[in-house]
Amino acid sequence: MIVFHLHLYQPERADPWLEIIFPEPSASPFRHWNERVSHECYEPNAELGNYKWVSFDVGPTLLTWLRRSRPVVYNALLEGDKAGLERWGHGNAIAHPYYHVILPLVPRRDREVLIHWGVEYFKRHFKRSPEGMWLPEMAVDLETLEVLADYGISYTVLSQGQVKGGRAGGPYKVVLPSGRSIAVFIRNDAVSNALAFQGFEKFAETLRGVEGDVVVALDGETFGHHIKGGDKLLADFISRHKDHLANLGWLYERGVKGEVEIVERTSWSCPHGLGRWSRDCGCDGPAPWREGLRKLVDWVGEAVDKAFEERLGPGGWDTLKRYIDVLMGGDRGGYTTEQLKLLEAQRAKLAANTSDAWFFARVGIEFGIAVKWALRAVELLDDPSPVEEFMRRLDEIAIDGKTALALCPRVRGPLMAAMMYVARATAGFQEERVGPYIVKPINDEFEIVDERTREVFRFRHDLLWGFEKI
């Protein structure tokens, strides 16, 4: 049998303060990359019904955007999962951690939060518990597999170079240090890479020489975005091979095919282990800034965790896990403003770890997004010292003849919301909401309420460069 697994993902592109995606000129003629990739890939694959015949995962940052902005695609993914359940007895979808973070590079409790949030998010949207979970960049170590097992995950997907002996197919059992086990599917690297980088003709040629079950795992954006017309080629392949297709759950039900040992701290996209996200390993070219950004984001994590534990105590971590209910639209009424600020600081800290910031050697919009989320995290601590230290450390990261401080927005948060409100009002629009901020004119001032934390800010309408927090 052949199993296609499509990893569907876009990073969190929204501004951390306004939670609005600003225009990304490199995605022209579309406003930003979510719109462009959706037009080229997600929408045509949905229309062709391809998601009904493949295994897939969807990063929560993408699925949230699709639900709001491309409901046709969102519903096609839900229907695709149901189609797999009806055809093969198992849904086509598997879960994904809440953010696309290299899990072995963050503390265990951060992994627990990301995986717990990912499981709860999956259950909310797909109306069932997940059997499997995709690991961002397939980055793996035994501790990460232990956490997956803790949260009821039965299997994940790795590449051949990540298991000793390089076997493909599966599922195979991995015995964990705790004595428990978890299953792993091993993608056929030659077949998967032939399709991802050389197209369907080379894929078909490579596939002919393979016996047994074949797992073809690759970026879902391959079909239409990376390979123009790939959506139609996939639909054509599906129509000619329906009797030979299955999903991961169907294969898992048939039992493991032996045991394998993983190669710890490896990934599918860096031959240097996890170097791509921690140092200048050479992937994609010279990137001496990578280590500095990793150290900066790690330091932000330590600063946020220290304040979090000091102010909320040991029970704060369970509160943080429950916070996924709020992130999915639940009531914030049971939390104080201080709790909300610390919980949002944790969320921002985790978002700052999104792997895309380190992926390319060039410094792009992904780097800037990570910097903004990291700044948002330390600002929420209500202490000027971490912010000052953050700026100092940021100024030490050299990029393109300047420092990373140049990527730090000077106008942000409630002040940006106020300026956008004034611009809209000047154009004749009287919307009081700007992202999560509610703006109300009171005499000669504007009052701005951040709905996420219930913080209140005020500033003079004729003095946009200064505001006072209540």
Side-chain angles (χ1 to χ4, degrees), residues 389-424:
E389 179 64 14
F390 176 84
M391 297 297 187
R392 186 190 70 76
R393 289 172 179 257
L394 195 63
D395 197 35
E396 292 177 347
I397 302 175
I399 52 168
D400 302 332
K402 48 192 175 186
T403 77
L405 196 58
L407 298 175
C408 187
R410 297 187 179 184
V411 178
R412 56 187 182 267
L415 184 55
M416 175 64 84
M419 295 176 73
M420 291 178 68
Y421 175 87
V422 170
R424 289 177 179 179

Side-chain angles (χ1 to χ4, degrees), residues 98-279:
Y98 194 76
Y99 290 118
H100 199 275
V101 173
I102 304 302
L103 296 179
L105 292 181
V106 298
R108 178 166 180 147
R109 61 191 172 203
D110 286 350
R111 302 183 220 189
E112 291 176 353
V113 171
L114 289 163
I115 289 169
H116 173 69
W117 284 5
V119 168
E120 294 303 309
Y121 184 92
F122 182 95
K123 288 161 65 175
R124 173 69 62 89
H125 291 273
F126 291 98
K127 311 302 181 188
R128 63 179 180 85
S129 295
E131 295 178 334
M133 177 172 276
W134 181 267
L135 296 177
E137 302 298 336
M138 292 188 186
V140 70
D141 63 3
L142 287 171
E143 188 172 41
T144 298
L145 296 182
E146 290 275 18
V147 178
L148 291 184
D150 285 344
Y151 287 90
I153 299 299
S154 298
Y155 61 80
T156 189
V157 184
L158 300 176
S159 61
Q160 287 178 262
Q162 294 180 275
V163 294
K164 296 176 181 179
R167 301 168 75 178
Y172 300 107
K173 181 168 74 171
V174 175
V175 178
L176 302 174
S178 64
R180 299 176 300 175
S181 65
I182 192 170
V184 295
F185 288 93
I186 311 299
R187 76 167 195 153
N188 186 301
D189 288 353
V191 174
S192 301
N193 290 338
L195 179 52
F197 302 115
Q198 296 174 281
F200 269 87
E201 185 175 340
K202 185 64 175 178
F203 163 70
E205 177 187 327
T206 309
L207 185 62
R208 279 194 290 270
V210 179
E211 297 180 357
D213 297 327
V214 182
V215 176
V216 183
L218 68 173
D219 288 338
E221 293 75 24
T222 299
F223 305 101
H225 176 54
H226 299 156
I227 298 177
K228 304 307 177 186
D231 51 300
K232 296 182 178 63
L233 292 171
L234 177 60
D236 179 65
F237 186 92
I238 289 170
S239 69
R240 291 185 289 107
H241 298 86
K242 287 183 177 179
D243 293 341
H244 297 92
L245 298 178
N247 65 16
L248 294 175
W250 186 89
L251 285 184
Y252 177 73
E253 185 181 345
R254 274 140 191 80
V256 297
K257 298 181 177 180
E259 289 187 18
V260 293
E261 293 183 50
I262 68 163
V263 181
E264 292 214 70
R265 297 178 68 82
T266 55
S267 68
W268 76 337
S269 49
C270 177
H272 316 103
L274 305 178
R276 192 166 197 154
W277 303 277
S278 57
R279 58 187 173 84

Side-chain angles (χ1 to χ4, degrees), residues 349-384:
K349 173 202 79 175
L350 294 171
N353 276 278
T354 299
S355 68
D356 305 71
W358 289 266
F359 193 81
F360 300 104
R362 61 165 176 76
V363 174
I365 55 178
E366 300 85 1
F367 183 106
I369 291 170
V371 167
K372 292 173 185 176
W373 278 105
L375 174 56
R376 165 84 175 152
V378 293
E379 280 187 337
L380 284 163
L381 301 182
D382 249 2
D383 181 351

Side-chain angles (χ1 to χ4, degrees), residues 6 22 75 160-161 193 195 324 339 346 377 388 438 451:
L6 277 54
F22 291 137
N75 288 323
Q160 287 178 262
N193 290 338
L195 179 52
I324 183 60
Q339 287 175 321
Q346 284 285 350
E388 292 169 4
I438 304 298
E451 284 195 323

Side-chain angles (χ1 to χ4, degrees), residues 15-29:
D15 174 79
W17 294 274
L18 298 178
E19 307 215 19
I20 295 169
I21 303 179
F22 291 137
E24 297 174 338
S26 58
S28 180

